[in-house]
């Protein structure tokens, strides 16, 4: 009886161990199994690369979107964003034709042509972040270096728009041929301290000259107004004086002897003037 119990216990123990072994094996297989999936979000493009087989390597790249299942042992998925990217680069220095050093602090906005994502990976075999800090940064630096070498220090500051237009043309061409679409470049260009001082002094001189010219023009204008006002007042006085003189002349011409006698008769009150009042009498008549 005891032998039967021992045999049953051994069988049960073996069965439990078998079940545990199967479960452990399944867990290990689940942990190490190579199958997984990748979600390619909107605004991104994924490329599927075969690592083994006759089609292995970057020559066989498939563009994928959405949820993609793949074998991590034999396949690799790399995702590239196709929406606008903004990269703020560390400042660098470029030299103009007259050996002046300008510091440039660029910020680039760009996006990737989705159809050229496989070509980008074939050519560079790097992540987008690595491409931005290596190839794209070198392209931006070369554009500034080439354009700056065709300008003098003064012309860079006085023809800033033309300077940046040339850089834009170069970047559009050199980035676009590899699938990177240029959107916008913001650059803070700082001249050397000596040139900045010269520019400030020149601007101050121009401001002082303009101020002096404005003050001179204002003084001339005020003098012109005062002269015109004085001439107007003098002309008005002359006209009044001439009018009064003409009136007196006409008045004197109108006092004929006959008219004077007539006025005397009209104003005589019938009394003979007293001695010493005759001049006053005729004065009253004349009035």
């Amino acid at each position: 009886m005891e032998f039967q119990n021992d045999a049953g216990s051994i069988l049960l123990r073996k069965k439990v161990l078998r079940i545990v072994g199967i479960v452990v094996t399944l867990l290990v297989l689940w942990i190490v199994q190579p199958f997984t999936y990748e979600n390619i979000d909107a605004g991104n493009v994924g490329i599927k690369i075969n690592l083994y087989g006759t089609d292995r390597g970057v020559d066989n790249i498939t563009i994928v979107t959405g949820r993609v299942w793949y074998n991590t042992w034999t396949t690799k998925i790399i995702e590239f964003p196709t929406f606008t990217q903004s990269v703020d680069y560390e400042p660098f220095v470029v030299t103009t034709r007259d050996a002046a050093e300008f510091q440039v602090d660029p910020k680039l906005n760009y996006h990737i042509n989705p159809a050229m994502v496989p070509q980008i990976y074939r050519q560079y075999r790097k992540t987008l972040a690595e491409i931005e800090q290596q190839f794209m940064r070198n392209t931006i630096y070369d554009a500034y270096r080439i354009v700056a070498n065709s300008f003098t220090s003064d012309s860079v500051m006085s023809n800033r728009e033309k300077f940046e237009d040339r850089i834009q043309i170069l970047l559009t061409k050199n980035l676009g041929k590899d699938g990177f679409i240029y959107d916008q470049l913001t650059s803070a260009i700082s001249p050397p301290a000596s040139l900045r001082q010269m520019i400030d002094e020149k601007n101050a001189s121009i401001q002082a000259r303009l101020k002096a010219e404005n003050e001179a023009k204002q003084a001339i204008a005020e003098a012109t107004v005062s002269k015109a006002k004085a001439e107007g007042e003098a002309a008005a006085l002359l006209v009044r004086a001439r009018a009064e003189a003409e009136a007196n002349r006409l008045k004197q011409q109108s006092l004929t002897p006959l008219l004077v006698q007539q006025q005397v008769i009209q104003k005589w009150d019938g009394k003979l003037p007293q001695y010493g009042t005759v001049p006053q009498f005729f004065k009253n008549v004349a009035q």
Side-chain angles (χ1 to χ4, degrees):
M1 188 72 178
E2 292 179 358
F3 176 77
Q4 291 178 349
N5 291 335
D6 291 339
S9 174
I10 291 172
L11 290 174
L12 179 61
R13 190 178 306 129
K14 288 182 178 180
K15 186 176 181 180
V16 171
L17 290 174
R18 186 182 301 112
I19 294 173
V20 171
I22 293 172
V23 171
V24 171
T25 302
L26 291 175
L27 288 174
V28 171
L29 290 176
W30 174 257
I31 293 172
V32 300
Q33 63 86 23
F35 294 98
T36 185
Y37 67 89
E38 184 78 21
N39 286 321
I40 310 299
D41 298 328
N44 295 269
V45 168
I47 55 175
K48 184 177 180 181
I49 304 170
N50 294 324
L51 302 177
Y52 295 97
T54 57
D55 295 331
R56 66 182 178 275
V58 296
D59 290 334
N60 183 23
I61 297 177
T62 305
I63 295 180
V64 292
T65 57
R67 176 171 291 185
V68 182
W69 288 91
Y70 64 100
N71 185 338
T72 58
W73 292 352
T74 62
T75 307
K76 184 178 181 180
I77 300 292
I78 296 180
E79 188 173 356
F80 281 84
T82 55
F83 55 89
T84 299
Q85 303 293 305
S86 181
V87 187
D88 192 356
Y89 290 98
E90 290 295 324
F92 52 80
V93 175
V94 293
T95 305
T96 59
R97 192 169 60 197
D98 53 351
E101 293 184 344
F102 281 74
Q103 179 174 284
V104 182
D105 186 7
K107 183 176 182 180
L108 176 68
N109 292 337
Y110 76 97
H111 66 277
I112 294 178
N113 182 355
M116 297 185 70
V117 168
Q119 177 182 330
I120 292 173
Y121 185 78
R122 287 190 190 100
Q123 182 171 352
Y124 298 104
R125 302 192 186 186
K126 296 180 183 294
T127 64
L128 186 58
E130 292 174 318
I131 295 173
E132 288 174 347
Q133 295 301 325
Q134 296 176 17
F135 161 72
M136 297 180 70
R137 184 188 182 280
N138 292 338
T139 302
I140 294 172
Y141 173 76
D142 284 342
Y144 274 99
R145 179 183 59 81
I146 293 170
V147 174
N149 195 43
S150 64
F151 281 76
T152 63
S153 55
D154 287 340
S155 61
V156 170
M157 303 306 297
S158 59
N159 298 280
R160 180 75 175 272
E161 184 176 356
K162 183 178 179 181
F163 178 83
E164 294 187 348
D165 285 345
R166 289 191 182 181
I167 293 173
Q168 177 181 342
I169 292 172
L170 278 179
L171 288 179
T172 301
K173 176 183 176 182
N174 295 335
L175 293 176
K177 66 183 181 181
D178 291 327
F180 303 99
I181 310 302
Y182 171 93
D183 290 333
Q184 184 182 17
L185 179 67
T186 303
S187 56
I189 303 178
S190 302
S194 57
L195 180 59
R196 170 57 64 186
Q197 183 179 358
M198 290 175 59
I199 293 173
D200 292 341
E201 291 175 353
K202 181 179 178 181
N203 291 335
S205 176
I206 292 174
Q207 292 296 328
R209 178 174 58 82
L210 291 176
K211 182 179 180 181
E213 290 178 354
N214 290 333
E215 290 177 350
K217 290 179 180 178
Q218 183 177 358
I220 292 173
E222 291 176 353
T224 302
V225 171
S226 299
K227 180 181 178 182
K229 184 177 179 180
E231 289 178 350
E233 292 177 352
L237 291 173
L238 182 59
V239 169
R240 286 197 297 268
R242 288 177 177 174
E244 292 178 358
E246 184 66 16
N248 291 334
R249 185 182 64 81
L250 294 175
K251 186 175 181 181
Q252 291 175 358
Q253 289 180 353
S254 63
L255 293 176
T256 62
L258 182 59
L259 180 59
V260 173
Q261 292 178 4
Q262 185 178 356
Q263 291 180 354
V264 170
I265 294 171
Q266 290 176 351
K267 294 184 178 182
W268 185 43
D269 57 0
K271 298 180 180 179
L272 293 174
Q274 300 297 322
Y275 178 77
T277 61
V278 175
Q280 183 65 35
F281 172 76
F282 284 103
K283 183 179 181 181
N284 293 335
V285 173
Q287 291 178 352

